[in-house]
Amino acid sequence: MTVKDDTPTVKTFTLKDDLCAKANPGQFLMLWIPGIDEIPLSILNANNGEIQFSVKAVGDATRHLHNLKTGDLLGVRGPFGNNFTETRGRVLLVGGGTGTAPLLFLAKRLAAKADRLSFVVGAKTKNELLYLNELDAVCTDESAVATTEDGSYGLQCLATEPLEKLVEKQKFNMIYTCGPERMMRAIFDIAEKHGLAMEASLERLMRCGIGLCGSCMIGKYRVCRDGPVFTMAS
Ligand SMILES: Cc1cc2nc3c(=O)[nH]c(=O)nc-3n(C[C@H](O)[C@H](O)[C@H](O)COP(=O)(O)OP(=O)(O)OC[C@H]3O[C@@H](n4cnc5c(N)ncnc54)[C@H](O)[C@@H]3O)c2cc1C
Ligand code: FES
């Protein structure tokens, strides 16, 4: 296992797992930290028997993960859940925080297929912006648009603000999003107003990850099994 510091609060882990290495963008794994907890994490990259995931330290399990040493034991189950559909044509991806991880995985898959691939990534401040170089590399005709709430990098606004302009300029075949729920709600409103299709990856508290325990329900849906990717058709 190797660990890389991305930001003061986010680390990216790389490890071997043959099953999860077959994952498609949008799927997640359940990571067991012995004696602490098991938590869901999006897959950031999967190939050649290796997987990557990024973890933001927010509580008990994620802080323990950040303090792991070489040789410490971890358990991996997965991949679980559905995945984003891989749309051709013009696509727009909007990520907030670690929600950018599954979208970067998707963008790498779409890079060869999409006519146009635009990415907006948002964070509170410059230190918390993730994967900027990789995002620039996958965008087709311009750099990724970065937004920060304090203006320390890119545009000073929420990630949703540049969207209105982008979608007014051209019709996207799909908007993909993952991040804070308020951000995704605002994007839903923009997509609905402009009649655009959208897929959003949702988060809920998860225990089993395979549709048995009911801890991740939204109405009749189990986010772990029916999602985490949900579709809004135009
Ligand atoms: C499908 C899916 C994919 C995810 N992908 C990632 C990822 O790629 N990287 C990453 O860092 N995190 C991801 N998460 C969130 C991650 O699972 C939680 O941050 C983690 O479970 C928190 O565990 P903890 O013990 O450290 O914190 P806890 O002590 O359990 O909680 C700390 C704080 O985080 C909040 N919290 C805990 N779980 C969630 C959750 N699921 N959604 C929203 N808030 C939560 C709690 O309310 C509390 O305020 C994902 C969650 C889901 C459901
Ligand atoms: S986490 Fe158990 S049903 Fe979804």
Side-chain angles (χ1 to χ4, degrees), residues 1 15 20-22 37 40 43 71 82 92 96 102 109 134 138 168 204 230:
M1 179 179 79
L15 48 87
C20 284
K22 296 190 174 81
D37 205 351
I43 295 169
N82 63 359
L92 172 62
R109 284 273 178 96
E134 286 160 287
V138 290
E168 268 160 25
R204 278 297 175 277
F230 290 86

Side-chain angles (χ1 to χ4, degrees), residues 28 37 40 50 53 56-57 77-78 102 118 138-139 141 172 178 230:
F28 67 94
D37 205 351
E50 277 196 343
F53 49 85
K56 180 168 174 133
R77 288 193 293 136
S118 304
V138 290
C139 285
D141 48 0
F172 285 95
C178 184
F230 290 86

Side-chain angles (χ1 to χ4, degrees), residues 28 30 77 204-217 221-226:
F28 67 94
M30 294 297 292
R77 288 193 293 136
R204 278 297 175 277
L205 183 69
M206 288 184 186
R207 291 281 167 238
C208 69
I210 52 171
L212 297 175
C213 71
S215 69
C216 65
M217 303 286 289
Y221 298 106
R222 286 162 207 258
V223 175
C224 69
R225 195 190 55 194
D226 303 316

